[in-house]
Amino acid sequence: MGIDDSRSFTPIGIALITVSDTREPATDSSGDILEARVREAGHILIERTICPDDAGEIYDLLRRFIASRDVDCVITTGGTGLTGRDVTPEALDRVKDKDIPGFGELFRWISYENIGTSTIQSRACAVLAGDTFIFVLPGSNGAVKDGWDRILKDQLDIRHRPCNFVELMPRLLER
């Protein structure tokens, strides 16, 4: 298990969305962390944006990225809690074709090591919409680091064994 150096790395197009009513470019530290990690891994950052906690606006942004031939993957941060303004998973439900339940399960298992039972409040999740993977992370810096460093970095690398999301991409629209 791990990286198979006999295979060539394949960069994918990634869009990043910070969902927040209060963050702006100067204060979006979780977005900064994700951007740095995406670039360091060798992927192509297609766009990075901040979107308010509004299910309709999140939905519209997700639809735009799903329709783009350049975007293979969308990663959001924020809006995954239980308050009235936390609506990212609800917007995701409106665009999904298939759930990827193992992502949220694994994220919470990893998060438990750092924050204990508080992880139960996280609604981190992932879906497939058409041929676009969408991963929804909480907005904290620690959550973004856990999600990228311990799950997404490997699963978005075609060299990762025994399997990864990138090698599935050519077959996502099969019928």
Side-chain angles (χ1 to χ4, degrees), residues 1-7 154-155 157-164:
M1 215 163 68
I3 298 297
D4 178 354
D5 288 322
S6 70
R7 298 186 85 182
D154 289 335
Q155 283 299 301
D157 188 333
I158 198 165
R159 302 169 302 166
H160 185 264
R161 295 277 151 247
C163 58
N164 59 77

Side-chain angles (χ1 to χ4, degrees), residues 30-98:
S30 60
D32 291 342
I33 291 167
L34 270 177
E35 179 177 349
R37 280 165 162 75
V38 164
R39 290 183 188 280
E40 180 181 304
H43 294 295
I44 304 159
L45 181 64
I46 302 299
E47 185 174 333
R48 176 180 166 190
T49 190
I50 298 175
C51 180
D53 287 290
D54 178 275
E57 289 190 47
I58 298 165
Y59 169 82
D60 290 343
L61 197 50
L62 290 172
R63 292 298 316 157
R64 181 167 64 84
F65 288 140
I66 293 163
S68 171
R69 291 183 181 261
D70 296 328
V71 176
D72 301 303
C73 172
V74 178
I75 305 171
T76 74
T77 176
T80 64
L82 298 172
T83 71
R85 296 292 294 163
D86 293 321
V87 295
T88 306
E90 286 74 20
L92 198 65
D93 283 343
R94 294 173 54 195
V95 300
K96 73 180 179 183
D97 292 315
K98 294 182 180 182

Side-chain angles (χ1 to χ4, degrees), residues 82-160:
L82 298 172
T83 71
R85 296 292 294 163
D86 293 321
V87 295
T88 306
E90 286 74 20
L92 198 65
D93 283 343
R94 294 173 54 195
V95 300
K96 73 180 179 183
D97 292 315
K98 294 182 180 182
D99 287 303
I100 307 171
F103 176 79
E105 295 162 359
L106 180 57
F107 176 83
R108 281 180 285 282
W109 179 74
I110 290 167
S111 181
Y112 180 79
E113 296 173 351
N114 296 320
I115 64 170
T117 59
S118 295
T119 193
I120 201 166
Q121 295 182 29
S122 168
R123 296 187 303 145
C125 54
V127 302
L128 182 64
D131 60 352
T132 304
F133 290 104
I134 306 173
F135 302 98
V136 172
L137 294 169
S140 75
N141 291 351
V144 166
K145 290 174 185 175
D146 285 345
W148 179 268
D149 296 346
R150 303 212 32 213
I151 305 172
L152 294 175
K153 177 182 70 165
D154 289 335
Q155 283 299 301
L156 297 178
D157 188 333
I158 198 165
R159 302 169 302 166
H160 185 264

